[in-house]
Amino acid sequence: MFLTLFLESSIPPSADMTKQAPPFGYGYPSMQPASPMTDSSPSHGRYNQTGYQHLSQPFPNMSQLSAALGGLSGVPELEVEALRPVNLLQERNLLPHRPLDAPEPNLNADLKKANCSPDTFRCTLTNIPQTQALLNKARLPLGLLLHPFRDLAQLPVITSSTIVRCRSCRTYINPFVSFLDQRRWKCNLCYRVNDVPDEFMYNPVTRSYGEPHKRPEVQNSTVEFIASSDYMLRPPQPAVYLFVLDVSHNAMDAGYLDVFCQTLLENLDKIPGDTRTRVGFITFNSTIHFYNLHESLSQPQMLVVSDIDDIFIPTHDSLLVNLKESRELVRVLLTSLPAMFSQTRETHSALGPALQAAYKLMTSTGGRVSVFQTQLPTLGAGLLQSREDPNQRSSTKGVQHLGPATDFYKKLALDCSGQQIAVDLFLLSSQYSDLASLACVSKYSAGSIFYYPSLHHVHNPAQLDKFQKDLERYLTRKIGFEAVMRIRCTKGLSIHTFHGNFFVRSTDLLSLANVNPDSGFAVQMSIEESMADTSLACFQAALLYTSSKGKRRIRVHTLCLPVVSQLSDVYAGADVQAITCLLANMAIDRSISSSLSDARDALVNAVVDSLSAYKNTVSNLQQSGLIAPAALCLFPLYVLALLKQKALRTGTSTKLDERVFAMCEFKSQPLQQIMRTVHPDLYRLDTMSDQGALHLNDCIVPQPHLLHLTAEKLTREGAFLMDCGSVFYLWIGKCCNDMFIRDVLGCPNHASIPPNMTQIPELETPLSERLRALLAWLQDSRTFSSTLHVVKDDASAKTSFFQHLVEDRSESAFSYYEFLLHIQQQMSK
């Protein structure tokens, strides 16, 4: 099958090629391009006029292209534009002015209006090929990107006692079923004809009878059902939260515990739950400490278990307590915890036994375990040895130890998952802690992973501030307990690989002990049977979970896409961002199961294969250059950007834990966050105007144009904002206008900008108000808080800014233009 084959294919460099250009992504002094250039290869990604090829003949018009591609099946203008051939070696300004939107499927207006939001559900191809053979011909991956529990401004909640589902495949009724008459409906996935129940004839919204097609679950592609007892194996669990805290000397020196205790104190009333909510605390160093918080006590009681080889629970009825009843004792404990261990000299960490204790404590209820760890576990079950060789951080020959050193943490995670316990890991360590092993406890229990590699209350207050903001979001965000998610699809399509943090219970069922609004999933698919008999393909994700208030709910998302028989339509519907994110997930798996170099080769081959396939379909047009359809014109750029990410780069010094964390992020983040990480948005600020600005809540929000990620776009006279998702960089050029610096930063000139500035002061100047409005607007589009770093042109901090300029050449990687030449070389073999 294509998805397996293309990740296994690798183009070995011929002897010839090794003379012309070194292996992809490695250091090299010079490069002989495949096509002649009168100047040397561009450094820093600057495009010389001579570097861009001139076409030897004009591009084809659309009728010529249509004939070459086998005819366009009545596609609208947008799809015609998506097929426009682009010579990547000639056209340099390919970025749109605004961040890229998901392509719109070619559906009629009613279906388009009813379809699922691309923020929730996206497919790599918005036109589904009829057959696997057609998909193979296009050389593009087929898969889904899903953000199933994201925060929604509006969510139709269905309280009906009858949940209407297909009797055969169990699909939930949705906007894409067809009503044969008022009493019968046809399933859009398996095509079975079902009866309409009597209760469904009544519409609770319009309070009318006899119009089942107007009910909210048939009008909305995202709905939530209140589930009946049929959807429960046991009574819904209460919200249960257990905090497991490292209190070793290393932890106390970092200073995280003060921030944790203070943040939890401030947010105790905002933690999701009801009158049944329960909380508990475990601290650990070389021993395990439990806290009796029974409401009858006057103060918390510490119980110490020093036998870490045979962990037991000292008392079962007062370690997880009702938050409402024991709130005052919880407050006392959080107020006193930092001082209790402030003088500790205990350097060991018995993380494994602490997790075993947490599992035993939570088994009867399920819930969420939040673990805070600051070093390599050194005692008891799950102890780890350092595996990192600092001398290999810049290696170009491959990276070792990307997989776990022990199966202890995976086994524990699977035990937890079976008891509806998810483990979230906060790693706060400047030293190697073997995240490749520790991360398994969250990966397989549907938990989350947070990493703060240089957190210290004195040396790195900015990271401490980020930890505090992340923790506040974490403690207060929505949560679902004891969840399962099933993905169904139209007959003929099948799922074969899932990506994300979960346990796969069966071929299409994911077990999610917890589900949160910040997690994303990816799914690889194949076409098992021809879909020639249908014009539409549908995908449905159903997430069954228990809310923090103890209600069993089912959130259902349904996506509808056209089925096509022409190769041209497949290319026209390519979603380049979804393709990039799915390939990133596949590459992470490949680097762990095989090697990093194999994964990198596979990504390059994905570009070579798809552009070769497109070129072969238009070969009778005799085009020179490197040609891509407009829909895929950013594909080589995105893949080059992927190859320069911490997760996948070689030849650049990268700590092993930081690399592994970047890999975890790719596997668990929603699409929008992955894309901002891979290819940040860059804007110029000092020349902003109100042209095209948004007017929101009496605020003017400027909409500056996107810039290519190259130093060529920077000037010393300018100020630039880079949005990397979790961090904003505000880069101030050395010769930036003093008035801009004064109006925005409150400093008289460039020299007076303080180092480590992380906030824009609230100044009453129009420029300050507009910039803060822009930052707030960008921040509103994400669920987590982003930190801000003001970077001076002459500051050492600019290294972190410049590493995101992915179009520029580095010591160990191609510039964008060189990468295009490399792709062209590979295609010509």
Side-chain angles (χ1 to χ4, degrees):
M1 293 212 268
F2 160 62
L3 286 173
T4 310
L5 280 175
F6 111 82
L7 271 179
E8 286 176 359
S9 68
S10 179
I11 304 180
S14 64
D16 212 34
M17 190 233 155
T18 19
K19 285 180 198 162
Q20 289 188 23
F24 176 75
Y26 298 149
Y28 40 80
S30 62
M31 171 179 173
Q32 298 299 317
S35 51
M37 294 198 298
T38 56
D39 201 353
S40 60
S41 295
S43 63
H44 303 301
R46 284 181 166 74
Y47 298 103
N48 305 319
Q49 285 301 318
T50 49
Y52 269 76
Q53 299 176 341
H54 294 286
L55 288 176
S56 54
Q57 64 275 334
F59 262 26
N61 59 36
M62 284 314 299
S63 60
Q64 288 174 301
L65 183 68
S66 169
L69 286 166
L72 295 170
S73 17
V75 291
E77 283 180 28
L78 275 177
E79 295 209 358
V80 172
E81 166 55 27
L83 282 170
R84 178 177 64 83
V86 176
N87 186 345
L88 300 177
L89 290 167
Q90 187 185 53
E91 293 196 34
R92 57 185 290 186
N93 294 313
L94 295 174
L95 277 186
H97 288 329
R98 299 293 310 136
L100 205 59
D101 290 324
E104 273 198 351
N106 179 24
L107 298 166
N108 69 43
D110 289 341
L111 291 178
K112 205 176 278 187
K113 185 180 175 186
N115 218 356
C116 195
S117 162
D119 291 336
T120 300
F121 219 153
R122 256 166 107 161
C123 185
T124 55
L125 304 175
T126 57
N127 292 326
I128 304 296
Q130 262 186 11
T131 63
Q132 184 69 33
L134 184 60
L135 176 61
N136 291 348
K137 203 171 177 183
R139 305 298 285 165
L140 292 170
L142 177 61
L144 302 170
L145 281 299
L146 190 57
H147 191 180
F149 202 57
R150 74 184 184 94
D151 292 322
L152 297 169
Q154 288 183 308
L155 175 64
V157 178
I158 314 295
T159 55
S160 167
S161 58
T162 303
I163 297 175
V164 180
R165 301 176 67 178
C166 174
R167 282 183 299 161
S168 178
C169 70
R170 307 301 291 153
T171 291
Y172 293 82
I173 199 164
N174 61 78
F176 311 109
V177 304
S178 47
F179 284 89
L180 305 182
D181 52 47
Q182 281 199 335
R183 290 289 176 184
R184 293 179 305 152
W185 64 278
K186 188 177 185 180
C187 176
N188 53 319
L189 266 62
C190 74
Y191 313 122
R192 171 161 184 160
V193 175
N194 296 271
D195 294 331
V196 175
D198 286 340
E199 189 188 337
F200 204 75
M201 298 297 287
Y202 176 72
N203 187 339
V205 178
T206 61
R207 298 186 178 178
S208 58
Y209 191 81
E211 295 180 311
H213 61 285
K214 290 187 178 177
R215 284 199 40 124
E217 53 266 66
V218 187
Q219 293 289 310
N220 298 281
S221 58
T222 290
V223 294
E224 188 151 283
F225 297 96
I226 305 293
S228 65
S229 56
D230 299 344
Y231 292 85
M232 302 175 197
L233 293 172
R234 62 178 186 178
Q237 70 169 73
V240 183
Y241 305 108
L242 178 64
F243 299 97
V244 180
L245 306 163
D246 180 353
V247 290
S248 64
H249 174 72
N250 200 55
M252 302 314 294
D253 182 58
Y256 91 90
L257 194 58
D258 295 86
V259 174
F260 166 80
C261 291
Q262 189 58 40
T263 306
L264 183 52
L265 273 170
E266 290 168 2
N267 290 282
L268 267 183
D269 296 331
K270 299 177 191 171
I271 292 177
D274 57 13
T275 54
R276 303 182 306 153
T277 301
R278 296 165 72 181
V279 297
F281 299 86
I282 292 174
T283 55
F284 67 96
N285 38 46
S286 62
T287 55
I288 314 299
H289 326 121
F290 299 87
Y291 296 87
N292 183 342
L293 298 168
H294 195 275
E295 58 183 302
S296 62
L297 296 173
S298 58
Q299 63 180 34
Q301 180 184 43
M302 182 198 278
L303 306 168
V304 180
V305 174
S306 53
D307 185 359
I308 59 172
D309 295 322
D310 185 18
I311 282 294
F312 64 94
I313 305 301
T315 174
H316 276 277
D317 59 353
S318 53
L319 301 180
L320 281 173
V321 293
N322 183 290
L323 178 57
K324 187 178 180 185
E325 294 168 359
S326 297
R327 182 180 301 271
E328 200 45 48
L329 281 174
V330 169
R331 288 185 180 280
V332 171
L333 177 64
L334 289 172
T335 305
S336 55
L337 256 183
M340 286 165 60
F341 296 97
S342 61
Q343 301 304 313
T344 184
R345 290 287 169 262
E346 185 59 72
T347 57
H348 283 295
S349 167
L351 173 65
L355 286 170
Q356 289 174 325
Y359 169 70
K360 289 185 176 185
L361 196 52
M362 298 280 275
T363 296
S364 61
T365 58
R368 183 179 77 190
V369 176
S370 308
V371 184
F372 296 79
Q373 171 74 1
T374 68
Q375 65 183 77
L376 200 67
T378 55
L379 289 178
L383 71 86
L384 297 167
Q385 310 288 332
S386 178
R387 297 189 290 161
E388 183 182 38
D389 179 356
N391 297 322
Q392 295 299 308
R393 287 176 183 167
S394 303
S395 171
T396 57
K397 294 189 168 66
V399 177
Q400 303 297 312
H401 309 307
L402 294 174
T406 170
D407 63 0
F408 171 81
Y409 294 97
K410 179 178 180 178
K411 281 183 174 176
L412 184 63
L414 296 178
D415 289 342
C416 285
S417 178
Q419 301 301 322
Q420 304 297 346
I421 303 164
V423 183
D424 294 335
L425 174 66
F426 288 77
L427 183 60
L428 317 106
S429 173
S430 56
Q431 302 299 316
Y432 173 72
S433 301
D434 198 354
L435 185 56
S437 298
L438 299 182
C440 292
V441 79
S442 298
K443 278 184 191 175
Y444 297 101
S445 68
S448 303
I449 301 163
F450 301 84
Y451 180 46
Y452 306 89
S454 51
L455 182 141
H456 195 277
H457 67 111
V458 175
H459 305 310
N460 197 336
Q463 188 122 112
L464 201 68
D465 184 53
K466 175 168 171 51
F467 169 61
Q468 188 272 328
K469 287 177 179 172
D470 288 350
L471 184 60
E472 186 170 359
R473 161 72 183 169
Y474 171 79
L475 293 171
T476 58
R477 71 186 180 186
K478 191 174 56 196
I479 186 170
F481 296 99
E482 46 189 353
V484 289
M485 183 167 71
R486 178 168 261 129
I487 299 176
R488 297 177 172 89
C489 44
T490 293
K491 188 180 175 184
L493 293 166
S494 71
I495 294 164
H496 64 79
T497 308
F498 290 101
H499 300 275
N501 290 355
F502 48 73
F503 170 61
V504 183
R505 198 178 287 180
S506 65
T507 51
D508 63 349
L509 187 70
L510 303 184
S511 176
L512 304 165
N514 289 179
V515 61
N516 72 73
D518 302 335
S519 289
F521 302 87
V523 184
Q524 287 169 241
M525 308 197 72
S526 57
I527 304 167
E528 292 199 329
E529 298 173 27
S530 169
M531 293 187 288
D533 296 337
T534 182
S535 60
L536 297 174
C538 289
F539 309 88
Q540 187 175 85
L543 177 70
L544 172 65
Y545 72 97
T546 299
S547 75
S548 58
K549 303 211 180 299
K551 302 286 187 221
R552 205 75 174 129
R553 292 182 166 226
I554 311 158
R555 187 170 297 191
V556 179
H557 308 286
T558 312
L559 174 68
C560 177
L561 297 171
V563 174
V564 299
S565 58
Q566 301 292 338
L567 192 59
S568 56
D569 294 340
V570 179
Y571 285 123
D575 182 338
V576 68
Q577 292 193 333
I579 289 169
T580 302
C581 290
L582 183 64
L583 289 175
N585 276 278
M586 295 162 72
I588 299 306
D589 279 2
R590 184 65 187 271
S591 30
I592 295 168
S593 64
S594 179
S595 70
L596 192 59
S597 58
D598 276 2
R600 289 170 57 84
D601 285 348
L603 285 170
V604 177
N605 293 340
V607 180
V608 171
D609 290 349
S610 58
L611 296 191
S612 294
Y614 176 75
K615 179 185 176 185
N616 292 339
T617 62
V618 292
S619 57
N620 60 336
L621 297 173
Q622 305 287 308
Q623 288 302 317
S624 63
L626 183 60
I627 313 298
L632 290 175
C633 69
L634 294 175
F635 190 28
L637 176 59
Y638 286 161
V639 166
L640 176 64
L642 260 183
L643 294 166
K644 293 186 176 185
Q645 296 302 303
K646 280 184 183 176
L648 295 163
R649 69 190 183 190
T650 57
T652 300
S653 183
T654 309
K655 289 184 178 179
L656 189 52
D657 280 345
E658 291 189 22
R659 184 186 296 278
V660 169
F661 178 65
M663 290 180 162
C664 294
E665 293 273 86
F666 276 130
K667 293 278 287 181
S668 61
Q669 294 276 11
L671 178 143
Q672 290 86 349
Q673 174 60 9
I674 291 176
M675 285 312 303
R676 279 198 199 97
T677 304
V678 171
H679 191 274
D681 295 332
L682 180 65
Y683 308 95
R684 183 164 183 174
L685 300 182
D686 59 303
T687 56
M688 277 191 307
S689 72
D690 289 348
Q691 187 178 353
L694 302 176
H695 294 263
L696 302 172
N697 305 324
D698 299 325
C699 280
I700 297 172
V701 183
Q703 299 290 288
H705 288 178
L706 285 177
L707 301 175
H708 279 267
L709 293 172
T710 167
E712 185 186 73
K713 297 295 181 185
L714 304 179
T715 72
R716 291 197 166 182
E717 294 75 34
F720 298 84
L721 179 71
M722 185 184 283
D723 178 4
C724 303
S726 59
V727 61
F728 291 112
Y729 291 103
L730 176 54
W731 188 83
I732 309 291
K734 193 177 282 187
C735 305
C736 184
N737 187 297
D738 286 350
M739 187 182 293
F740 177 89
I741 295 172
R742 188 170 60 246
D743 286 357
V744 169
L745 301 178
C747 302
N749 52 40
H750 186 275
S752 62
I753 299 172
N756 304 319
M757 192 173 186
T758 57
Q759 282 185 321
I760 303 291
E762 294 192 18
L763 304 175
E764 292 184 6
T765 65
L767 202 51
S768 172
E769 288 168 1
R770 278 164 171 66
L771 177 53
R772 283 184 284 115
L774 174 61
L775 286 168
W777 180 74
L778 292 170
Q779 180 67 66
D780 283 347
S781 67
R782 64 206 70 177
T783 54
F784 50 87
S785 62
S786 302
T787 53
L788 175 85
H789 293 286
V790 178
V791 180
K792 294 169 71 172
D793 186 12
D794 58 356
S796 57
K798 72 179 184 180
T799 308
S800 51
F801 176 86
F802 275 87
Q803 73 179 6
H804 295 290
L805 299 177
V806 295
E807 295 192 25
D808 293 347
R809 188 182 196 181
S810 69
E811 287 179 14
S812 56
F814 289 151
S815 71
Y816 173 55
Y817 184 69
E818 290 170 328
F819 183 61
L820 294 178
L821 294 176
H822 178 76
I823 295 295
Q824 188 182 44
Q825 271 187 337
Q826 297 285 33
M827 286 172 62
S828 63
K829 286 185 174 181

